[in-house]
Amino acid sequence: MKKSLFTILLCMMTVATVLARKSIQSGYPYNQVPFTSVKLNSGTFWGDRLKAVREVTIPLAFSKCQSEGRYANFERAAHPSSTYNVGRLMGFPFDDTDAYKTIEGASYILQTYPDKKLKVYIDSVINIIAKAQESDGYLYTARTQNPQRPHPWSGSRRWEKEEEGSHELYDLGHLIDAACAHYQATGSTKLLNIARRYADCVVREVGPDSGQAHVVPGHQIAEMALSRLYVLTGNKKYLDEAKYFLDYRGKTKIRNAYSQSDQPVVNQKEAEGHAVRAGYMYSGMADVAALTGDSAYVNAIDAIWNNIVSKKYYLTGGVGARHDGEAFGANYELPNLTAYNETCAAIAQCYFNERMFLLHGDAKYIDCLERTLYNGVISGMSVDGGKFFYPNPLSSDGKYAFNADGTTTRQPWFGCACCPSNLCRFIPSVPGYIYGVRGNDLYLNLFAGNVSHIKVNGKEVVLQETTRYPWDGDIAVKILKNKVGRKLTLKVRIPGWVRDHVVPSDLYSFNDSVKSNYYISVNGKNVSGKVLIDGYLPVSNLNSGDVVRIHFDMQPRVVIANPKVAADRGKIAVERGPLVYCAESPDNSNSDVWHDIIHEKPQFLVKPYEIKNTEGDGKTFTVMAIMTPAQEMVKGNSGRLELKDVQLTLIPYYAWNHRGAGYMEVWMNHGICMFDHD
């Protein structure tokens, strides 16, 4: 849409003026270290994940935006026509977000892998987006392509169907997130100008006042994004709009648990409804609570978080038991074969847990973030970065079609492509989750090889971290520079799995005699005896050149579920460090691993193991596998079931399904078989 030159220049001048000021603080007692401060090392576990996203996932997503018509939607919106049949030309009204999310991820990746060509390409996509924006800032191609006949989900006028399916405010949220990331990575306000103009349009048109549309987001995320925009620009109207979106839930015409709008957010105590919407809303509540001091929000999300981790949380850190509504189930409803566990819902849980840490400073939230990250999130993407899961079940028979398109393996794209594009933006942002800061305290939350330049109480600290985590529990942190002096304290998270806690509730527990230990030293001097504070061991009196060495015992552990989880009753799972393991048929003579039985007191052997990615690039990748003696139920010569001794191979859950559809199981049979074999 055409805009006056004066309007564009005025907007650019306003944004530049605002950004020239010092951005306000997040409001959280603890602060996340920006992704721009942390550079992951190549050849490491997370370095390889970022490399896959850079070389495969992001180029694939951009190419799909081209081939699947995402760019064409913007191009048509720049030249609207009454002849366009938007319902046929555009699959979903939120398809614009695939471009936004890919730009966000590409912006993050530029920090680790500077790339002039990628930067120029992103700029070219922003040019396409800019031309689709209407003169008053509205940017929603599902309507703008043909305002007389918009996408069927969009309604006859702006915001009319927002709470049902138009996703206008969902589009806003992803646009803002992409714009903020792009600005942080490049310093360019080009996309930020576009996002602010749409945000300003929403602030004018949606709200509680007379003449405004009294609606709230049908699919939440704008709450988080507007809070982020407020922190970046200091303009309080964005925070006020985010708070309106939360405060008016349960008060507008449409009220249902599916979108967490059946009652006011401060009255919600249990995780219900669509798991992605829910996770985004809880994260937005945390952001707004931190910025406004609203304790009622904090009380609500504390209760909801406890409900999730004690009753609705899969061992893999996934959430969302039901395909119907992509929703949380009832308490302890955690089926395995039919588990939904949408990849986007796992990403939302990472957002939620990070914010709970920023509010409370307790390691238990990072324990949950780590569990979800290493299992529920990265299982959603093949190791080569080219194929994706929408749901992530904990069991497979090779036949049950858990993907909405009727498939049983990862796919290169989906008609509803929210999960691939969400992985595009989330995986490259992982560097921003490794550290936290409060005062003179630097929190080491996640363990990954990196070099980081961090501001601690306004002064520079430079760290070099080396580790093979999650394959072993040895980490070395060298203090390359310490401008804080002896006041600097490194708070080392001692993971829950080291402290004999599977999760911070009684939902799962270890069921073996293994005792895990940890050891921490500074320049060879043992400091492990200090009292843990909220799951962290404080290491003080650090100088430039000091080396902090951390060792966590990393042994296979046997896990059982709370007996109230009917699907896991009488079964065990196996973990090692942060990784959940599974048995898959290609590693076990293509057998039906559903009928394998692990010994009551299993013995484990850990060793490197190669997996060939026959479903993708054909290359092999190496994991640490776990071997254990087991028994397989087979049909004997007499026709009776018999037990055959076998060696069972277990691989990390995230690595399954790289060799086609087949049997897979996380929760295994164990102990004395129910049949009499004397």
Side-chain angles (χ1 to χ4, degrees):
M1 302 297 289
K2 293 182 178 179
K3 301 174 281 290
S4 72
L5 180 61
F6 174 77
T7 300
I8 295 172
L9 288 174
L10 181 62
C11 178
M12 291 175 66
M13 290 171 62
T14 301
V15 171
T17 301
V18 169
L19 293 176
R21 305 170 191 156
K22 183 179 179 181
S23 62
I24 66 170
Q25 296 299 308
S26 67
Y28 284 104
Y30 302 81
N31 288 299
Q32 191 173 18
V33 170
F35 72 92
T36 51
S37 299
V38 181
K39 310 294 189 203
L40 292 182
N41 298 338
S42 61
T44 61
F45 186 87
W46 285 106
D48 288 346
R49 302 284 88 71
L50 263 66
K51 182 181 179 184
V53 171
R54 175 178 69 97
E55 295 182 352
V56 179
T57 313
I58 287 175
L60 171 64
F62 275 136
S63 72
K64 289 294 185 180
C65 285
Q66 178 71 50
S67 66
E68 303 304 309
R70 304 305 191 253
Y71 298 156
N73 293 329
F74 290 103
E75 291 166 344
R76 285 191 296 268
H79 305 283
S81 171
S82 60
T83 64
Y84 292 145
N85 186 332
V86 183
R88 289 186 178 180
L89 293 169
M90 187 177 194
F92 295 96
F94 48 82
D95 281 350
D96 293 354
T97 65
D98 291 335
Y100 301 153
K101 285 183 278 188
T102 307
I103 289 173
E104 183 181 354
S107 298
Y108 291 133
I109 212 74
L110 285 173
Q111 288 303 300
T112 303
Y113 300 99
D115 186 329
K116 290 182 179 179
K117 288 184 179 180
L118 177 59
K119 191 175 180 180
V120 170
Y121 182 81
I122 294 170
D123 198 63
S124 72
V125 177
I126 294 172
N127 290 338
I128 295 172
I129 293 169
K131 293 175 183 178
Q133 189 163 35
E134 297 190 26
S135 59
D136 64 353
Y138 187 71
L139 182 51
Y140 178 67
T141 69
R143 180 181 313 285
T144 307
Q145 292 179 64
N146 182 353
Q148 286 74 44
R149 192 183 175 189
H151 190 282
W153 292 15
S154 299
S156 59
R157 61 184 183 277
R158 292 181 183 182
W159 325 118
E160 180 183 30
K161 296 290 186 181
E162 170 55 37
E163 296 184 30
E164 297 174 65
S166 74
H167 289 77
E168 287 154 283
L169 298 176
Y170 177 73
D171 279 18
L172 169 71
H174 279 299
L175 174 60
I176 291 173
D177 276 337
C180 290
H182 184 255
Y183 168 72
Q184 286 178 274
T186 67
S188 169
T189 60
K190 189 172 184 177
L191 187 58
L192 192 61
N193 293 336
I194 296 168
R196 285 201 69 186
R197 293 185 66 240
Y198 189 16
D200 292 344
C201 172
V202 170
V203 169
R204 287 193 306 270
E205 296 189 5
V206 181
D209 297 336
S210 176
Q212 291 185 304
H214 305 322
V215 298
V216 296
H219 193 311
Q220 302 91 313
I221 200 174
E223 302 85 348
M224 280 195 292
L226 286 164
S227 298
R228 184 177 184 178
L229 188 59
Y230 164 61
V231 170
L232 183 64
T233 66
N235 195 321
K236 192 170 179 292
K237 67 182 178 181
Y238 302 129
L239 176 61
D240 292 340
E241 190 74 2
K243 197 166 192 310
Y244 161 75
F245 287 158
L246 292 168
D247 286 345
Y248 272 72
R249 295 198 86 79
K251 300 176 183 178
T252 58
K253 291 182 180 179
I254 296 178
R255 304 176 188 179
N256 57 63
Y258 169 77
S259 60
Q260 299 78 39
S261 62
D262 55 326
Q263 56 183 319
V265 296
V266 294
N267 294 341
Q268 297 183 32
K269 306 299 180 186
E270 182 177 342
E272 293 184 302
H274 190 275
V276 183
R277 287 168 162 85
Y280 288 167
M281 187 183 83
Y282 306 149
S283 299
M285 289 173 68
D287 284 344
V288 174
L291 291 163
T292 64
D294 194 323
S295 60
Y297 281 11
V298 177
N299 292 337
I301 57 178
D302 280 348
I304 289 167
W305 185 86
N306 282 319
N307 174 250
I308 292 172
V309 300
S310 62
K311 297 178 175 67
K312 299 186 176 183
Y313 192 53
Y314 277 92
L315 187 65
T316 55
V319 293
R322 298 176 180 175
H323 282 245
D324 184 17
E326 300 177 328
F328 287 99
N331 290 339
Y332 302 107
E333 180 186 346
L334 296 166
N336 294 309
L337 177 66
T338 61
Y340 200 65
N341 280 347
E342 185 180 340
T343 299
C344 286
I347 291 172
Q349 284 300 299
C350 289
Y351 292 143
F352 185 29
N353 278 295
E354 172 71 3
R355 285 160 170 78
M356 295 300 284
F357 161 76
L358 297 176
L359 279 174
H360 299 301
D362 196 304
K364 66 183 180 181
Y365 303 111
I366 303 299
D367 289 344
C368 290
L369 189 160
E370 180 181 67
R371 175 172 296 276
T372 301
L373 181 61
Y374 277 96
N375 302 288
V377 171
I378 62 173
S379 62
M381 183 178 79
S382 59
V383 293
D384 62 5
K387 289 189 175 182
F388 313 93
F389 276 151
Y390 202 114
N392 293 271
L394 276 72
S395 179
S396 173
D397 61 0
K399 300 175 184 177
Y400 177 73
F402 46 84
N403 286 320
D405 60 0
T407 56
T408 56
T409 58
R410 291 183 183 85
Q411 299 298 303
W413 201 248
F414 298 98
C416 174
C418 59
C419 293
S421 55
N422 220 2
L423 285 162
C424 267
R425 78 182 184 120
F426 181 74
I427 297 295
S429 76
V430 166
Y433 292 82
I434 294 174
Y435 300 102
V437 172
R438 184 180 188 181
N440 292 316
D441 295 339
L442 175 57
Y443 288 78
L444 177 52
N445 281 334
L446 299 177
F447 309 104
N450 68 87
V451 176
S452 300
H453 296 252
I454 302 170
K455 291 293 184 181
V456 179
N457 217 355
K459 298 178 181 178
E460 187 179 26
V461 174
V462 182
L463 302 179
Q464 180 185 59
E465 184 180 346
T466 55
T467 181
R468 291 186 65 250
Y469 196 91
W471 304 127
D472 66 42
D474 293 317
I475 303 111
V477 180
K478 185 173 183 179
I479 313 298
L480 299 181
K481 184 185 293 185
N482 175 13
K483 291 293 187 180
V484 179
R486 289 188 172 275
K487 292 181 179 179
L488 175 69
T489 298
L490 183 67
K491 297 286 190 74
V492 180
R493 180 176 66 94
I494 309 302
W497 54 265
V498 177
R499 295 181 285 122
D500 218 33
H501 303 306
V502 181
V503 294
S505 72
D506 66 353
L507 187 58
Y508 305 107
S509 58
F510 290 122
N511 187 45
D512 54 32
S513 58
V514 174
K515 177 62 177 176
S516 293
N517 295 302
Y518 61 90
Y519 179 86
I520 300 178
S521 67
V522 179
N523 301 329
K525 182 180 179 180
N526 184 7
V527 296
S528 307
K530 295 184 178 181
V531 175
L532 299 187
I533 302 172
D534 294 327
Y536 291 90
L537 188 142
V539 181
S540 305
N541 298 318
L542 293 169
N543 296 305
S544 298
D546 286 350
V547 178
V548 180
R549 295 193 182 277
I550 304 160
H551 170 79
F552 302 133
D553 287 351
M554 192 174 279
Q555 305 167 77
R557 300 294 306 271
V558 174
V559 178
I560 59 172
N562 187 306
K564 293 179 182 178
V565 182
D568 303 334
R569 205 173 289 149
K571 296 178 179 289
I572 64 168
V574 178
E575 297 185 350
R576 181 176 181 267
L579 297 174
V580 173
Y581 278 70
C582 68
E584 190 179 12
S585 54
D587 307 303
N588 295 284
S589 304
N590 292 312
S591 66
D592 172 1
V593 295
W594 279 13
H595 294 127
D596 286 350
I597 303 168
I598 294 180
H599 292 178
E600 191 169 16
K601 295 182 179 180
Q603 299 295 314
F604 296 119
L605 173 66
V606 179
K607 68 177 186 178
Y609 186 79
E610 289 190 344
I611 295 174
K612 188 172 183 179
N613 182 17
T614 58
E615 287 290 294
D617 60 10
K619 297 179 180 179
T620 60
F621 60 96
T622 302
V623 301
M624 296 302 291
I626 299 173
M627 282 70 176
T628 183
Q631 293 178 304
E632 180 184 352
M633 283 190 285
V634 296
K635 197 171 187 178
N637 294 331
S638 64
R640 296 181 62 191
L641 286 176
E642 297 177 356
L643 290 180
K644 180 177 76 171
D645 289 334
V646 296
Q647 177 175 261
L648 188 66
T649 298
L650 307 175
I651 63 170
Y653 170 76
Y654 80 82
W656 87 281
N657 204 271
H658 282 84
R659 296 156 298 187
Y663 283 95
M664 183 276 293
E665 191 70 272
V666 169
W667 289 98
M668 306 290 297
N669 300 308
H670 79 112
I672 301 171
C673 185
M674 66 285 292
F675 298 101
D676 181 8
H677 298 284
D678 292 340

